Amino acid sequence: MNLFNGIEAFIQVAEKGSFAGAARQLNLSPSAVSKLVARTEDALGTVLFNRNTRSLSLTPEGQLFLKRGRVILSEMAAAKADSRCLALTETV
């Protein structure tokens, strides 16, 4: 499993407030998004969302991980951009 995909799915679910909304944003099925989040929870050893048939809310651990996850994805995007810039300057 790519943990970065799981973090991205988790953040989208938290921001959209639903697995279906996150799935639309990520061009995935709600089931695929649910599985990514579940695998991320398993990898972290904690529950990130309180789920029931009518509502979805972040656990305290989920609130903390949302902040950290945003930083992780931001840093990953910056690292990718830096790598691309470096590759471009080396080919010139």
Side-chain angles (χ1 to χ4, degrees):
M1 177 196 119
N2 182 337
L3 189 56
F4 292 107
N5 291 340
I7 294 169
E8 183 178 24
F10 162 72
I11 291 170
Q12 287 299 319
V13 172
E15 290 178 351
K16 302 296 181 195
S18 72
F19 286 91
R24 283 189 296 274
Q25 181 71 29
L26 297 169
N27 294 316
L28 297 170
S29 69
S31 175
V33 172
S34 179
K35 287 176 184 173
L36 281 169
V37 171
R39 288 178 186 147
T40 301
E41 289 175 322
D42 287 345
L44 296 172
T46 192
V47 176
L48 300 172
F49 288 107
N50 293 311
R51 304 165 175 86
N52 66 41
T53 57
R54 296 181 182 230
S55 70
L56 178 72
S57 62
L58 289 168
T59 62
E61 296 83 2
Q63 292 172 354
L64 178 61
F65 192 69
L66 180 59
K67 292 177 189 175
R68 300 279 183 153
R70 286 177 173 149
V71 172
I72 290 166
L73 290 185
S74 175
E75 287 296 319
M76 184 58 130
K80 283 182 181 179
D82 288 349
S83 296
R84 286 185 188 130
C85 288
L86 182 59
L88 288 174
T89 58
E90 289 178 352
T91 60
V92 174

